Amino acid sequence: MPEKRIILDQIDNPNSASIDFYMSLGGYTALKKAMGNMSRDQILGEVKASNLRGRGGAGFPAGIKWGFIKPDAPGPKYLVCNADEGEPGTFKDREILQKKPHIMIEGMIIAAYTMGLDAGYIYIRGEFYEPLLAVDKAIAEAYQKGFLGKDILGSGFSFDLYTYRGAGAYICGEESALINSIEGRRGMPRLKPPFPAQNGVYGRPTTVNNVETFAAVPSIINNGGKWYADLGTPKSGGTKLFSISGHVQRPGVYEIPMGTPWKDFFYDICGGVKDGKQLKAVIPGGSSTPVLKPEELEGMTMDYESIASKGSMLGSGAVIILDETTDMVKLLNRILHFYAHESCGQCTPCREGSDWFYDIIHRIYHGKGREGDLDLFENLGKNIGPNTICAFGDAFVTPTLSFIRKFREEFLAYIKRSDSAAG
Ligand SMILES: Cc1cc2nc3c(=O)[nH]c(=O)nc-3n(C[C@H](O)[C@H](O)[C@H](O)COP(=O)(O)O)c2cc1C
């Protein structure tokens, strides 16, 4: 199955970020169609029919989320675009932000119109300076054409859009920490419920979606929800962007139909393992998802259900390729250093647990491993994930356990060689 470029269509054109170029491709016709010819219920119906699932990691159906908001309820309501893109291995949103920001902005305006929202924030990670400039320029262009601001296209609907820069914290990608950060508070997750749909930005109803989720919306309105759904599998509609990195022949961002066989994606599109080496393992959805061994990839297709059936997750669509030379102990040491550094510290099991996990792997990697260290990971892991406010605990426990279970011999070899095991 080949690539199918909808969001990425013409993205490599040097003018792809400009509004004139975007409109020459049919950009903003979906907005005109939605506002001119469709009721809010009709738009919502198409988004539900499209089977579009949130592209930020959790895969929650966008149409259902949009349906939580009551457009006619009094008082301000907000839209948030999650452009934090913090998950290691993920670099697909940056591509949209920098090279095709209007497709996301058009999707946001349609979303705001459908849910009757007053203002929107694009929460963009601090390190994304060039994407920020591109998005700010695109917002100014959209105001100039009358797609943002008061009485958009004479519809009586008004919507303002702002960028908001994060300061580079991974946890600020978690939607409630992100909301706190927009409000000027420390970026720490909130207890849910209440969910953002009831109590979001400034305590008001808020919808949060990922960059790619919004970018899928214009094509759904132009071609219909069924058209989009039929591109993918019965449960995972449409196309999906994957960023593939590591020991791969052709790293990059690819858009493929959901349900594309793994083999077609990896070997035909991405060229397989770099330099003719053997494949050792694949992390399919970003560093927080369990690692898979080559035999587990047999028959896998690139969609939420198939990857889950193999014991991992599609996550943020960040595929990391590991060849035969990869030292799994060294890699886990690097991953856990990241999570220990990024825990926001609010929940004790996560704050202490992420440091413990890093301490253990650090000593194994540096020749101080102890007998029983692998059991200690298992034991500690049981008490972290279920006892935290957000999914950060699971984000480092689940991949760790997959590493030590699937590559146990490698970890044991390090421990056996170590000073402390030798007594
Ligand atoms: C620790 C953590 C980090 C996250 N980081 C991101 C992120 O960088 N970008 C993103 O879109 N979603 C991220 N999410 C998921 C968001 O909380 C939320 O589910 C998403 O923005 C909803 O949009 P969607 O339904 O379109 O996927 C993260 C979640 C967790 C628990």
Side-chain angles (χ1 to χ4, degrees):
M1 222 185 252
E3 279 182 82
K4 172 91 185 156
R5 291 184 154 220
I6 297 168
I7 293 175
L8 297 187
D9 182 36
Q10 300 288 334
I11 200 148
D12 294 323
N13 187 297
N15 295 319
S16 62
S18 83
I19 198 162
D20 290 335
F21 185 78
Y22 181 62
M23 290 180 75
S24 76
L25 298 177
Y28 288 103
T29 51
L31 179 68
K32 290 175 186 160
K33 180 177 173 186
M35 285 187 161
N37 309 324
M38 295 170 80
S39 69
R40 285 175 163 158
D41 281 346
Q42 276 173 326
I43 305 171
L44 188 61
E46 294 301 336
V47 176
K48 283 186 176 164
S50 74
N51 243 334
L52 171 66
R53 296 172 58 170
R55 304 300 197 221
F60 192 81
I64 295 182
K65 190 184 276 187
W66 291 16
F68 293 147
I69 303 281
K70 294 186 177 42
D72 299 324
K77 298 181 278 304
Y78 299 110
L79 187 65
V80 173
C81 176
N82 190 339
D84 198 57
E85 192 154 69
E87 174 82 356
T90 319
F91 48 94
K92 49 131 188 137
D93 293 340
R94 184 181 63 188
E95 198 76 352
I96 300 170
L97 294 161
Q98 189 162 345
K99 298 190 188 160
K100 216 171 157 183
H102 283 289
I103 196 167
M104 169 195 76
I105 292 172
E106 184 180 10
M108 287 189 75
I109 305 168
I110 295 168
Y113 174 71
T114 311
M115 291 177 271
L117 310 179
D118 300 87
Y121 297 93
I122 300 169
Y123 188 94
I124 190 163
R125 63 177 298 148
E127 296 92 330
F128 279 1
Y129 184 64
E130 284 168 351
L132 172 82
L133 297 183
V135 173
D136 277 341
K137 182 162 177 279
I139 291 176
E141 288 175 331
Y143 269 103
Q144 221 168 25
K145 296 268 187 209
F147 299 141
L148 283 170
K150 298 228 175 310
D151 190 20
I152 298 170
L153 301 173
S155 64
F157 172 71
S158 302
F159 180 65
D160 285 308
L161 191 54
Y162 308 92
T163 48
Y164 190 98
R165 284 182 85 186
Y170 173 72
I171 197 60
C172 285
E174 194 283 334
E175 59 184 9
S176 62
L178 184 157
I179 288 170
N180 272 341
S181 177
I182 287 180
E183 291 179 358
R185 302 170 200 272
R186 282 187 77 165
M188 288 179 159
R190 298 175 177 177
L191 263 178
K192 293 183 231 176
F195 291 94
Q198 295 106 43
N199 186 356
V201 176
Y202 306 121
R204 303 294 309 161
T206 300
T207 300
V208 185
N209 276 128
N210 170 261
V211 170
E212 185 190 344
T213 313
F214 287 122
V217 171
S219 71
I220 292 170
I221 300 306
N222 275 329
N223 303 294
K226 184 176 176 331
W227 169 86
Y228 186 83
D230 288 348
L231 293 169
T233 68
K235 289 190 175 163
S236 303
T239 57
K240 173 81 192 85
L241 267 54
F242 288 93
S243 54
I244 182 164
S245 62
H247 301 131
V248 54
Q249 195 67 33
R250 291 192 285 275
V253 181
Y254 297 93
E255 183 172 10
I256 53 174
M258 287 277 198
T260 298
W262 156 257
K263 286 193 166 150
D264 293 9
F265 172 58
F266 182 52
Y267 294 100
D268 299 345
I269 298 176
C270 306
V273 186
K274 208 170 119 186
D275 300 335
K277 297 248 171 25
Q278 290 295 310
L279 183 65
K280 179 169 185 175
V282 173
I283 301 176
S287 64
S288 66
T289 63
V291 66
L292 295 174
K293 293 181 94 166
E295 56 269 28
E296 294 174 291
L297 301 165
E298 276 306 314
M300 188 174 88
T301 53
M302 302 303 282
D303 53 84
Y304 293 100
E305 292 70 34
S306 180
I307 299 179
S309 76
K310 302 291 181 183
S312 190
M313 288 186 292
L314 183 145
S316 56
V319 182
I320 303 170
I321 303 300
L322 308 171
D323 76 12
E324 57 189 312
T325 66
T326 310
D327 178 336
M328 300 307 274
V329 179
K330 183 177 181 187
L331 177 58
L332 188 61
N333 183 63
R334 183 67 194 88
I335 291 175
L336 289 177
H337 180 248
F338 172 82
Y339 284 99
H341 182 259
E342 294 294 337
S343 171
C344 79
Q346 181 176 209
C347 308
T348 307
C350 176
R351 183 185 65 241
E352 301 299 321
S354 57
D355 268 349
W356 277 15
F357 264 48
Y358 179 53
D359 281 352
I360 298 168
I361 192 64
H362 187 262
R363 72 169 174 250
I364 295 175
Y365 179 51
H366 289 279
K368 306 276 178 206
R370 299 175 198 157
E371 224 185 293
D373 270 350
L374 300 188
D375 293 340
L376 194 53
F377 272 135
E378 297 274 357
N379 218 336
L380 287 171
K382 281 190 210 121
N383 297 305
I384 298 171
N387 297 318
T388 54
I389 288 175
C390 83
F392 188 103
D394 283 330
F396 68 87
V397 171
T398 337
T400 301
L401 299 185
S402 75
F403 268 64
I404 63 164
R405 286 174 190 166
K406 294 180 187 180
F407 297 93
R408 197 171 177 84
E409 291 310 316
E410 254 179 76
F411 286 84
L412 288 175
Y414 260 90
I415 293 171
K416 277 187 197 127
R417 280 204 302 269
S418 67
D419 309 343
S420 44

